[in-house]
Amino acid sequence: MTLNFATRARQTTVAAAAMLSFILITFQGLHPAYADMNIQEVKSSSGVTAWLVEDYSVPIVAMNFAFAGGTTQDPVGKEGLTNLMTGLLDEGAGKLDSEAFQARLDDAGAEMRFSAGRDTLYGSMRLLADRKDEGLDLMRMAINEPRFDKAPLDRVRGQIVSGILASARDPKQAAELKWSEALYGNHPYARRSEGTEQTLGTITADDLRALHKALFAREKLTVAVVGAIDAETLKADLDKLFGDLPEKPSLTPVADIQPKLGQHVHVDYPLPQTSIQLVYPGVARNNPEFFSTVLMNQILGGGTFSSRLFDEVREKRGLAYGISSSLVNYDHASALSIDTSTRADKAGETLEIIRDVVKKMADEGPTATELADAKKYLIGSYAINNLDSSGAVAATLVQLQLENLGIDYMQRRGDFINAVTLEDTRTAARKLLAADPSVLIIGPGPTAISDAGHKG
């Protein structure tokens, strides 16, 4: 029997792929303690800057990078364009069609991923140090010379459309779209990142090439590398990967917006459970009151098993399996969101209790004991939550750069948290939680649910 090129290549690369998987699993928890991590700023001759953590304990190199401009850059009527492009960047590049590209990727024993956020396009690669050049050459082609051939374009588009059609049968998906439109109106944040069957059907290879040309540029590129590589080698690799890109991207401006509050959206579906979401004002990442808000939110509902909302809704009354609050931060909008699901006949009671807990926090703020516990948790959990593998470290370093937090942020973070006073958290609670939130109810619900706890 004659094997085609991809089959032969895949059979010859089992050992390399298995070795990478073994190393990743076996040494996943081995990384420098973040307090002692030596982060170097490396700048290539073409002006590309990267943060580097050298770590030779495992023969792996992890690279993460981000280009400014995510799904908010989709033109009206072509929603889903950026998401579709990220699904095609490793489906053929340079002289390699999709099958040959994937076979070469397997042969290098490397992992390559692209994804689209609302404001940012992300890429990452993990590879064995002794086969780095093979993997990075493929990444270079994907970044600089994506093909967007018809066959993979149709296939990947079809996969996305299938997912959209399947989710259309989920009432929560339809409700979340309605919810986004209620909060953000006609702003790009209200649009579906994956697009619709209709908008995806209009997208051509020329659309993909135009978007690629607009987004892939050096000026707003952020890079982080962790692993068995030194600074001088990385400088040369940065030039190979990104040096031929245009200097500046061509981005469509996106306006700042605040979610529209005071709304009540009820999507009535015959579900066994009713989902509840409340949205309050948020705080931008660069706001001086950010850490005060983070600590207040941790006490309100940010702690998985130790928060006021969890205690009142789950522990004392058993109304929900889980409930949480979280801070939502995009480049152009911020919010504080509370989410839970409960029995349909308990939705009104649950909503009223949530409002009571929020009101008490707004009126009185946290206690000194709650604040001390929240500080200990947020300081102690950072490494576990963000630095548990080389890939996680690289992703964290990219995010720190995107948020302009400084190369020594991890050393200073504890001081920022400890500097927050009890009055700071009480001020944050008053400012944000005294507002009349927008409320989303998905599921069965008589009029009483819509009115429950609507105290203005």
Side-chain angles (χ1 to χ4, degrees), residues 27-72:
F27 297 99
Q28 185 175 9
L30 296 182
H31 55 81
Y34 81 90
D36 301 321
M37 188 182 298
N38 179 27
I39 306 172
Q40 306 173 60
E41 186 171 87
V42 176
K43 190 168 185 176
S44 76
S45 60
S46 63
V48 177
T49 299
W51 286 5
L52 167 65
V53 175
E54 293 187 45
D55 179 11
Y56 298 94
S57 61
V58 181
I60 288 176
V61 176
M63 173 181 287
N64 283 53
F65 55 88
F67 291 96
T71 60
T72 56

Side-chain angles (χ1 to χ4, degrees), residues 248-265:
K248 295 179 181 292
S250 179
L251 300 176
T252 301
V254 178
D256 292 341
I257 187 172
Q258 292 302 321
K260 184 179 179 182
L261 304 181
Q263 302 181 82
H264 200 289
V265 178

Side-chain angles (χ1 to χ4, degrees), residues 166-178 192 194 442:
S167 66
R169 295 189 289 270
D170 180 357
K172 289 188 178 181
Q173 292 290 327
E176 287 173 4
L177 179 59
K178 184 176 180 180
R192 294 185 64 164
E194 71 273 28
I442 308 173

Side-chain angles (χ1 to χ4, degrees), residues 41-183:
E41 186 171 87
V42 176
K43 190 168 185 176
S44 76
S45 60
S46 63
V48 177
T49 299
W51 286 5
L52 167 65
V53 175
E54 293 187 45
D55 179 11
Y56 298 94
S57 61
V58 181
I60 288 176
V61 176
M63 173 181 287
N64 283 53
F65 55 88
F67 291 96
T71 60
T72 56
Q73 296 300 304
D74 291 349
V76 174
K78 292 188 182 291
E79 290 82 1
L81 177 62
T82 305
N83 180 62
L84 176 59
M85 182 180 70
T86 61
L88 290 165
L89 292 173
D90 63 352
E91 290 282 353
K95 296 181 179 180
L96 304 177
D97 64 12
S98 177
E99 188 175 40
F101 189 94
Q102 289 296 319
R104 284 272 300 275
L105 190 62
D106 283 350
D107 188 48
E111 297 177 357
M112 180 187 298
R113 291 188 176 90
F114 294 93
S115 62
R118 289 182 182 270
D119 302 298
T120 311
L121 190 152
Y122 297 95
S124 66
M125 193 165 204
R126 290 195 295 184
L127 60 165
L128 298 169
D130 61 356
R131 308 195 66 174
K132 173 181 66 69
D133 291 344
E134 300 169 58
L136 290 184
D137 187 54
L138 292 167
M139 178 63 85
R140 178 194 61 77
M141 288 190 285
I143 291 170
N144 290 272
E145 307 172 68
R147 290 169 62 111
F148 305 127
D149 292 334
K150 185 178 187 306
L153 169 55
D154 290 343
R155 172 169 48 80
V156 174
R157 173 165 40 205
Q159 292 169 350
I160 297 172
V161 169
S162 294
I164 292 171
L165 295 177
S167 66
R169 295 189 289 270
D170 180 357
K172 289 188 178 181
Q173 292 290 327
E176 287 173 4
L177 179 59
K178 184 176 180 180
W179 180 236
S180 294
E181 291 172 347
L183 293 176

Side-chain angles (χ1 to χ4, degrees), residues 180-382:
S180 294
E181 291 172 347
L183 293 176
Y184 297 112
N186 60 0
H187 192 275
Y189 287 158
R191 303 184 307 196
R192 294 185 64 164
S193 296
E194 71 273 28
T196 66
E197 183 180 10
Q198 291 72 32
T199 61
L200 286 167
T202 70
I203 293 173
T204 67
D206 285 342
D207 294 325
L208 293 162
R209 294 186 189 100
L211 179 69
H212 173 265
K213 183 178 179 181
L215 300 189
F216 281 67
R218 287 174 284 133
E219 185 181 65
K220 296 191 175 183
L221 166 65
T222 303
V223 185
V225 180
V226 177
I229 184 172
D230 61 72
E232 290 305 313
T233 302
L234 178 58
K235 288 179 184 179
D237 288 339
L238 292 173
D239 283 333
K240 290 176 185 176
L241 286 171
F242 306 110
D244 291 335
L245 292 174
E247 180 183 355
K248 295 179 181 292
S250 179
L251 300 176
T252 301
V254 178
D256 292 341
I257 187 172
Q258 292 302 321
K260 184 179 179 182
L261 304 181
Q263 302 181 82
H264 200 289
V265 178
H266 182 197
V267 182
D268 193 0
Y269 282 100
L271 296 169
Q273 283 198 321
T274 294
S275 296
I276 302 171
Q277 184 176 14
L278 296 86
V279 168
Y280 291 83
V283 170
R285 184 62 185 82
N286 60 358
N287 191 306
E289 298 177 354
F290 179 76
F291 277 109
S292 303
T293 306
V294 168
L295 286 160
M296 181 275 292
N297 176 72
Q298 178 69 19
I299 296 162
L300 175 66
T304 306
F305 300 111
S306 59
S307 70
R308 290 190 181 184
L309 286 170
F310 187 87
D311 201 38
E312 294 294 332
V313 175
R314 171 71 170 86
E315 289 295 292
K316 292 183 179 179
R317 297 173 177 85
L319 292 171
Y321 180 76
I323 183 169
S324 64
S325 64
S326 58
L327 296 177
V328 180
N329 287 101
Y330 302 128
D331 284 1
H332 304 283
S334 302
L336 187 153
S337 175
I338 298 173
D339 298 86
T340 192
S341 293
T342 187
R343 273 173 39 187
D345 62 337
K346 296 292 185 178
E349 178 185 356
T350 302
L351 179 56
E352 187 169 0
I353 291 167
I354 292 171
R355 284 186 176 274
D356 287 343
V357 172
V358 170
K359 185 177 187 303
K360 184 177 181 180
M361 179 66 83
D363 292 344
E364 302 174 7
T367 67
T369 300
E370 287 175 324
L371 178 58
D373 289 345
K375 286 182 177 182
K376 289 178 183 177
Y377 175 81
L378 288 178
I379 292 172
S381 65
Y382 187 80

